[in-house]
Every structure is written in C-alpha cells, then in structure tokens.
Amino acid sequence: MKHRQTVEQLLAAIGGQENLKLAEHCATRLRLILHDNNKLNKDEAEQIQGIKGYFYSTGQHQFVFGTGTVNEVYQDLLSVIDQNKLAEGDIKSEVYQNMTPVQKVVRTFADILVPLIPALVTTGLLMGLRGFLVELGLEMTPEFATMFGVLTDTAFAFLPVLIAYSASKKFGGNPIMGIVIGLMMVAPQLPNAYSVGSGDAEALNIFGINIVAYQGSIFPAIIAGWLIAKIEQWCRTWVPKMMDLVVTPFLSLLITFVTIIFLLGPVIQAVEHFVINGIVTLIEAPLGLGYIVFGGLQQAIVVTGLHHSIGVIELSLLSETGRNVIQPLTTASMAGQFGAAIGAAFLVKDAVRRMNMINASVPTLFGITEPLLFGVNLRSLRIFVSGIIGGAAGGLVTYLMHLTAPGMGITFIPGLLFYTESFGLLLNYLIVIGVSFAVAFVLVQAQRKYIVDEI
C-alpha cells in the first residue's frame, strides 16, 4: 500500500476508524464526516504525511492532498477500514443538512450548473480555435463557417435545454421531461429572444403578454426543471398507476409550460436581467473599481465556497454579450495568490518544506487553488492579503486593457486558449497574470521579517 503511513496518521488524527462516519473525495480533497468532531486532533491532522492543508467546513473535515494523490489516499483508506461500519448515505446529503440557507442555495446552483461545464468549456475552446484560425488568415467558405457555427453556437442556443435537464434530475424528476420542457422554451415556433432584442423580430402577444423564447436564459430554465419535477412527484401521489404513464407527463408538461410562458417566465426573466445587469454594472464601476475589487477578492469567495454561484453570471454574460470578463479577473485573483505563495516559499530555508509549498501551489496554474489557499496562504494573513492586492492589481490591468474571454470554465494556463485569436489579446492576458504575480510576490518579500515567523 503506497500511502500506508499517511492513512495511519489520518486515522490516528480523527480518533480512530470507529469515529469515521462517511468518506469520499473530490479533485483535490479527502472529505470526512466524523461521529464526534471533538475527537479530531487538529495539530496531528496538519502534520499528516503528504498533506497540503486541512480545514473544517459545513460539517466536513477536508484534507487537501492534491490532484491524483487524493484518489490514491482514498483507495488506501478504504482498504484498511471496515466499510460495513460506515454510515449509510452519502456526504452530500449529510453536508447539506449542516449548511446555512445561503449555502444550500449556492450548492443547489452548483449541482445544476457544474455538470454543464465540460460542454461549455469545449464550446469556448472551439470559439478560441475559430478566432485563431481566422487570425492565421484562414478564409472560411459560407458552408464551412456554417458547420463551425454548429460547433460553437449549439450549446448556448440550447442552454435552457441543458439546464432544465440538469435541474429536473437534481430535484428528483424525469430528466427526459426536463429536456422536453427545455426544448419547448426555445422552440422555433416562438420568436427568438436575440432577434426580438435586436429588433429583427416581434414578440408574440397573447392575452396582452409579450411572449418570446428563452435563448440564453438561466433562472427560468432552473425553475422549469424544478417545477416539472415537483408536479410529476405530486401527480404520482394521486394518479392511479394504470393511468400514470399518460396523465402524469401530460399534466407535468402542460402546467409547467403554461406557468413558465405566461406567469413565472416573464417575471423571472426580468429579475434575472436586473440582477445580472446590476452585477455587471458593479464590476464596471468607474475607474475600474469593480474590476479591482473582484480581482482582489475572488479567491476569498473560493474560501467561503460561494464561488460556484459566479458561474451563473458567466453564463449570462456569454449568453447576452458573447464575452466573459469574469474569466480574466478570476485568473488575476489566482495569479495574485500564486505569486504570494511562491514569494513565501522562497522565504523558507528548509528545502523540503519549500518544495512542499511549491508543490501545493503548482495546481493553481491549472485552475485548482485549494491546495495553495489552505496549505500555504491562509496560514498567514499577510501572505493572503498580499495575494489579494496582487489580484486587485491584475484586475486594474484587466480594466485598462478591456480584456474579456469568449468562454468559461478554464483559467490561468488552460485559459490561454481563449486568447489565441490574436497575439495582442494573448499578450494582454499574460501581462495580467504577470502583474498580479509580481505585485503579490514583491509584497511578500517586502514583509520577510514578519512572515518568516508566521510560517
């Protein structure tokens, strides 16, 4: 067993196997729920071999091991414990009970939207590839441009379908019914929302209500997925089983469609536009203040676990404008914390410890910051604040350069692919990263005599 010593130290730190209630892992962290949290020894937990950080949140004891390693540690843990003694159920359900109302809402959004990210990332990369090919001088024939448009535009054109499917599945409904209601929301018989917005088409007017399709809408699709799932569940409480196959889907679709199109939809859509426009207005505050604040604090939002909700804003920005300012600002915030961590690593004289800090920081280059945050920067407020200032500096540069991305879901080095349509854009993106990193690195180095004692 490759990680025997790590597992032994882990079990000792949590108070033995008998104190372990549930266990699972994500991309970087081993997540444990204990019967008695008081039995955990925090000092021992932070000294486990190979660990890059430990913290407690929403009822979970989270041990940061990093990508790849965490999978191995998890498997070795399962091999030495009696799995029959673990509680039934899953960590998500257990954690959900320990969340605040705000955290529950954010987690629900994350569960709905995160499964969509691979498709949206791919679409964004294809947009970047198209821009890169055009920049190289490739002339597309109308037929070729049309086929490329299928690759780049389909996911966003049918975004409500994807969201309604994911939402209905999340809320315990039939995902196929979610797909159907999503397709109805963007049916070609309804005036295209973009065409109506640009003045190229007119909304349908029924009962004095202007009706348009929901291309690019997010919250109406989430409500539709939730509503059709709940109506389906309600129908099954009274519809005879012999009629369930016909009556339940008929009522579910009909009630949801009428509610979304004539009642909730217009209201939700108006509120959605108001909120999104408000956040965008805040980001675009005079003199780049919004960019500065967001670039500085985005990684602080990651610490709270609320960062998943930002995906809603990114989706809306891409749907409405085709550009995403959140992506470069997020990268700036990451680069600031990365610069602070590397600056701190070079203050450490012990070679092994310095290398551990660098190893915890490297995943940040690929958009995974938890090992860096919990393993290095949050150990010293000075380091973390230096990273915030570095990110804020990168946010200002982003504002000055009017930098935006054509997609979402990837940041830092993978995010380079969003800027291949021109050398100028690629250079601007690298400058944002460089400024954020340099400012944070220099600030940490300037506080050498204070930070050395803290870390």
Side-chain angles (χ1 to χ4, degrees):
M1 186 168 60
K2 183 177 180 180
H3 300 282
R4 177 179 295 277
Q5 184 175 352
T6 298
V7 170
E8 290 175 351
Q9 293 176 346
L10 178 67
L11 290 174
I14 66 173
Q17 177 186 337
E18 61 276 6
N19 196 35
L20 180 60
K21 184 177 182 180
L22 289 169
E24 67 177 31
H25 70 90
C26 63
T28 60
R29 290 167 281 172
L30 180 66
R31 303 168 182 262
L32 305 181
I33 290 182
L34 307 181
H35 291 288
D36 184 355
N37 291 328
N38 294 323
K39 291 185 178 181
L40 181 128
N41 188 315
K42 185 177 179 181
D43 291 334
E44 290 185 13
E46 293 179 341
Q47 298 300 318
I48 293 173
Q49 180 176 301
I51 199 171
K52 298 176 181 178
Y54 159 80
F55 65 101
Y56 177 80
S57 176
T58 61
Q60 301 174 86
H61 297 272
Q62 304 195 35
F63 301 83
V64 184
F65 287 101
T67 307
T69 301
V70 68
N71 306 62
E72 298 173 349
V73 172
Y74 176 73
Q75 292 301 324
D76 285 352
L77 174 65
L78 293 183
S79 69
V80 301
I81 64 174
D82 184 354
Q83 298 182 44
N84 293 324
K85 292 185 178 181
L86 296 179
E88 294 184 1
D90 59 85
I91 280 188
K92 285 186 177 181
S93 300
E94 187 81 16
V95 168
Y96 192 80
Q97 301 304 318
N98 294 306
M99 289 182 173
T100 65
V102 173
Q103 288 174 322
K104 288 180 179 180
V105 171
V106 171
R107 175 55 62 89
T108 299
F109 280 148
D111 289 343
I112 293 172
L113 297 176
V114 168
L116 278 56
I117 294 299
L120 299 177
V121 167
T122 301
T123 298
L125 293 178
L126 288 167
M127 289 180 179
L129 176 60
R130 178 174 60 185
F132 179 63
L133 294 174
V134 172
E135 184 67 19
L136 291 177
L138 176 67
E139 294 185 6
M140 296 187 183
T141 64
E143 294 79 10
F144 188 76
T146 298
M147 294 306 298
F148 218 114
V150 172
L151 288 172
T152 58
D153 301 340
T154 300
F156 286 107
F158 292 95
L159 184 60
V161 181
L162 303 178
I163 293 175
Y165 161 80
S166 187
S168 61
K169 183 177 180 181
K170 164 67 180 176
F171 295 117
N174 183 341
I176 301 301
M177 298 295 287
I179 291 176
V180 174
I181 192 63
L183 288 169
M184 290 180 174
M185 294 174 70
V186 292
Q189 294 88 344
L190 297 175
N192 185 285
Y194 297 124
S195 298
V196 173
S198 64
D200 296 331
E202 293 185 1
L204 290 177
N205 191 283
I206 304 176
F207 307 129
I209 300 174
N210 288 331
I211 305 297
V212 298
Y214 287 87
Q215 284 85 6
S217 292
I218 296 170
F219 288 110
I222 292 176
I223 296 297
W226 172 82
L227 187 58
I228 198 168
K230 296 306 177 183
I231 293 175
E232 179 185 346
Q233 293 165 6
W234 170 69
C235 286
R236 292 220 161 92
T237 63
W238 60 271
V239 174
K241 290 185 178 180
M242 64 181 296
M243 302 176 64
D244 178 69
L245 185 62
V246 175
V247 175
T248 296
F250 172 78
L251 291 178
S252 299
L253 277 175
L254 181 61
I255 295 174
T256 301
F257 180 77
V258 171
T259 303
I260 291 296
I261 295 297
F262 293 102
L263 299 176
L264 291 180
V267 175
I268 295 170
Q269 204 167 36
V271 172
E272 179 185 53
H273 288 159
F274 175 79
V275 172
I276 297 302
N277 290 337
I279 294 174
V280 172
T281 300
L282 176 63
I283 291 176
E284 296 180 349
L287 304 177
L289 292 177
Y291 284 61
I292 292 170
V293 171
F294 190 90
L297 296 180
Q298 191 275 337
Q299 284 298 294
I301 298 174
V302 172
V303 174
T304 68
L306 298 176
H307 59 295
H308 294 297
S309 60
I310 298 174
V312 176
I313 304 171
E314 292 186 274
L315 284 171
S316 296
L317 286 172
L318 287 168
S319 297
E320 295 183 7
T321 69
R323 307 297 298 184
N324 174 20
V325 70
I326 301 295
Q327 192 275 341
L329 290 175
T330 299
T331 296
S333 191
M334 289 179 173
Q337 295 298 333
F338 182 65
I342 297 300
F346 280 97
L347 296 180
V348 176
K349 294 182 179 180
D350 182 83
V352 174
R353 192 176 174 207
R354 184 193 310 123
M355 187 54 63
N356 287 337
M357 293 174 71
I358 293 174
N359 288 339
S361 304
V362 167
T364 302
L365 295 173
F366 303 94
I368 301 172
T369 56
E370 285 90 346
L372 174 148
L373 292 173
F374 297 109
V376 182
N377 292 14
L378 287 176
R379 291 178 177 271
S380 167
L381 184 61
R382 293 178 187 274
I383 298 175
F384 187 62
V385 171
S386 296
I388 289 176
I389 296 173
L396 176 60
V397 175
T398 301
Y399 168 76
L400 295 175
M401 293 180 170
H402 306 288
L403 190 62
T404 58
M408 62 176 288
I410 54 175
T411 49
F412 226 119
I413 289 179
L416 288 167
L417 294 171
F418 284 145
Y419 302 93
T420 55
E421 58 187 273
S422 75
F423 177 75
L425 278 176
L426 188 62
L427 181 61
N428 289 346
Y429 184 67
L430 291 172
I431 290 174
V432 168
I433 292 175
V435 168
S436 303
F437 178 92
V439 169
F441 183 91
V442 170
L443 282 175
V444 169
Q445 291 288 312
Q447 302 174 83
R448 175 186 298 266
K449 65 178 180 179
Y450 303 107
I451 292 178
V452 167
D453 293 334
E454 293 177 350
I455 59 176

